Amino acid sequence: MTAGRRSETAGFEEHRLDNGLRLLHLPVRAAPVALLMLTYEVGSRHEAPGMRGASHMLEHMMFKGSARFHRRHGNSIHQQLLPLGAQVNATTWYDRTHYFSLVPRQGLDLVARIEADRMCDLSLDAADLETEKAVVLNEYDRHLGDPLERLHQAVWRAAFARHPYGTPVMGVREDIQAFERARLLAHYRTHYRPDNATIAVIGDVESEVAMDIVHRRFASIAAAGGAPQATPPEPVQAGERRVTVACPGAPGIVMLAYKSPAGADADLDVLELLGLVLAGGRLSRLHRRLDAAGLASETWTAVSRLREPGLLQLGAVVHRERAHRQVEQAMREAIEDVRSDGVAEEELARAKARARGELLTSRDGPLAIAMQLNEAIAAGDWRLYAAAVDRIGAVTAADLRRVAGRYLTERALTVGYLADGQDRDTATQ
């Protein structure tokens, strides 16, 4: 048989089938289990107006059945896998949709058969679609009931006026309600194909066994080919943007969101450490400054590792008797200090230790490894996972100062306020 190309990096074996499907294999001997994760490089970034939320809807429909695995045959996906004690789930994000099953290792071939069948022969019944639209709309409403999620969505919408990253991954209500089988099927056929997918097999299974199973189940599926779908470019931000979300009873929150580089850019590793220096725990710059002044009780940082440029977000929970503008000003001053003077080696060492520790402790077992690997695949290079610890170690204090000067600028800033609707001092005009 032909298995295409093969290479090895950091314990992973990488194979490429002739139809373009990538296989990553990593042996993990802690227990006699195997995890199969299938990552498709399609998410909300690939959706045009009218189809916003299509990738998330397809994720739901993929569990409704395919030609050979369907409840009408008495062998639905859950009927097959749950009796094995399997952990089965899926998620959708901006750049990818992934499906995973953690099973006793003897169940690996069954998982591969299921994934191969729904890769090329999804049922997508119209009646099931109508039922599932109600499920998704209920999930959509639950998300909007979370004040912090509403702030997050408002900030991304303001920061990305044209790019699809400005639309929630779940989509918008009017599009979800209007989904029809034919258009969803076209979205499925465009993106669900072997040359747009990566299979990871992680666990107590030999490379030859994993390769044989994947080849037998997937090699006959034809590649679709064609150029990747272009994403509408986001114009360069030329000035500060502001948004306020009023939600009765919500805590006061100030969020500063700066445009960040794409996930595979080395500057993003630096920016992630910079975020930890600023808002990574009680010894961080923002927490010490805001807490000492009685302005905020909590700070945090989040950086998006996406295929295209995203956001670095810095947040603070405003003390009830304080004003949002006071907190924002103190945050800006702390950031300007870093831009002007850089950071101390001690601060950098602390941020590196936290970042490395979080990476290593979150790689405990096949499922945890797969979750991190999945995000590296979505960002454009699975080897980002393998090299993450070394990249963190290579960052210098000079890098932090350079990156702060480049990215933490007012012209690339979106300011978000979450308020309870009664605080007049949250005005953004």
Side-chain angles (χ1 to χ4, degrees):
M1 69 179 184
T2 177
R5 301 188 300 277
R6 171 176 175 169
S7 61
E8 185 169 349
T9 302
F12 282 91
E13 283 192 19
E14 179 183 15
H15 308 261
R16 180 80 75 162
L17 301 190
D18 290 340
N19 61 7
L21 179 67
R22 178 190 288 115
L23 166 64
L24 301 174
H25 172 257
L26 178 69
V28 176
R29 307 299 186 187
V33 299
L35 180 136
L36 188 148
M37 177 180 71
L38 184 51
T39 302
Y40 292 96
E41 295 186 33
V42 57
S44 60
R45 177 169 65 88
H46 304 89
E47 298 163 358
M51 291 295 287
R52 293 166 296 183
S55 300
H56 178 249
M57 178 61 75
L58 271 180
E59 176 209 317
H60 279 244
M61 296 305 297
M62 286 282 279
F63 287 96
K64 292 300 181 181
S66 56
R68 295 172 182 82
F69 297 93
H70 200 285
R71 66 177 183 276
R72 63 172 169 260
H73 306 318
N75 68 343
S76 71
I77 293 167
H78 287 113
Q79 286 173 316
Q80 290 289 298
L81 294 179
L82 294 187
L84 300 180
Q87 295 183 41
V88 183
N89 214 331
T91 65
T92 305
W93 199 232
Y94 294 104
D95 302 302
R96 54 80 184 158
T97 308
H98 81 135
Y99 302 84
F100 65 86
S101 299
L102 179 65
V103 294
R105 62 187 172 199
Q106 63 268 25
L108 181 62
D109 184 60
L110 173 60
V111 173
R113 288 167 53 204
I114 290 171
E115 293 295 3
D117 198 53
R118 61 181 181 174
M119 175 185 279
C120 62
D121 215 348
L122 184 65
S123 293
L124 230 172
D125 294 337
D128 284 341
L129 174 58
E130 290 305 310
T131 299
E132 206 61 24
K133 280 160 68 170
V135 173
V136 170
L137 285 169
N138 182 56
E139 185 180 354
Y140 177 90
D141 290 338
R142 290 201 311 272
H143 273 254
L144 285 183
D146 180 350
L148 187 56
E149 175 63 21
R150 289 177 59 187
L151 176 64
H152 174 87
Q153 290 187 15
V155 166
W156 279 74
R157 186 163 53 246
F160 294 97
R162 183 175 178 184
H163 194 284
Y165 285 163
T167 300
V169 171
M170 207 170 292
V172 297
R173 174 175 288 278
E174 58 267 29
D175 286 5
I176 297 169
Q177 290 174 324
F179 284 150
E180 297 177 348
R181 182 181 186 275
R183 296 190 69 188
L184 277 179
L185 192 60
H187 189 72
Y188 163 78
R189 288 173 174 164
T190 297
H191 299 287
Y192 278 64
R193 59 182 205 261
D195 49 323
N196 195 45
T198 298
I199 288 180
V201 177
I202 303 170
D204 190 18
V205 57
E206 299 299 329
S207 173
E208 293 77 11
V209 174
M211 187 66 226
D212 178 65
I213 289 174
V214 171
H215 189 274
R216 281 190 289 111
R217 301 306 177 190
F218 290 89
S220 63
I221 302 175
Q229 180 176 332
T231 303
E234 178 68 23
V236 175
Q237 188 170 331
E240 181 182 302
R241 300 171 183 173
R242 305 184 69 89
V243 62
T244 296
V245 174
C247 185
I253 291 177
V254 174
M255 182 180 292
L256 306 185
Y258 297 90
K259 290 288 174 56
S260 64
D265 192 313
D267 277 357
L268 192 65
D269 302 312
V270 183
L271 202 59
E272 184 171 3
L273 289 175
L274 184 58
L276 291 175
V277 168
L278 286 166
R282 300 188 66 82
L283 295 178
S284 65
R285 293 280 188 103
L286 290 180
H287 183 86
R288 286 187 286 119
R289 181 183 291 250
L290 297 174
D291 185 62
L295 292 172
S297 58
E298 181 183 351
T299 61
W300 73 92
T301 177
V303 64
S304 52
R305 191 172 292 276
L306 303 174
R307 180 63 64 93
E308 297 182 358
L311 293 177
L312 167 70
Q313 295 164 265
L314 302 167
V317 179
V318 181
H319 274 306
R320 182 169 296 275
E321 61 274 12
R322 296 291 190 167
H324 286 63
R325 285 198 295 246
Q326 291 177 287
V327 174
E328 179 190 345
Q329 182 60 33
M331 293 172 74
R332 285 175 177 265
E333 290 170 359
I335 291 167
E336 186 56 37
D337 287 347
V338 170
R339 281 173 47 85
S340 301
D341 304 326
V343 303
E345 290 291 342
E346 179 184 359
E347 291 178 293
L348 175 57
R350 188 162 54 239
K352 284 184 175 183
R354 178 165 180 159
R356 283 197 302 263
E358 289 177 351
L359 271 175
L360 295 174
T361 57
S362 63
R363 295 180 172 187
D364 182 19
L367 182 55
I369 292 170
M371 295 303 100
Q372 286 194 22
L373 180 64
N374 178 64
E375 300 313 314
I377 294 167
D381 187 349
W382 72 268
R383 292 168 297 182
L384 292 168
Y385 167 88
V389 174
D390 291 339
R391 294 198 320 271
I392 288 170
V395 174
T396 67
D399 290 328
L400 263 67
R401 186 171 184 177
R402 172 184 58 81
V403 164
R406 179 174 181 181
Y407 295 99
L408 303 187
T409 65
E410 290 187 2
R411 68 177 181 276
L413 172 63
T414 299
V415 180
Y417 284 1
L418 177 64
D420 66 5
Q422 300 177 358
D423 185 355
R424 296 181 180 179
D425 204 16
T426 60
T428 60
Q429 299 298 324

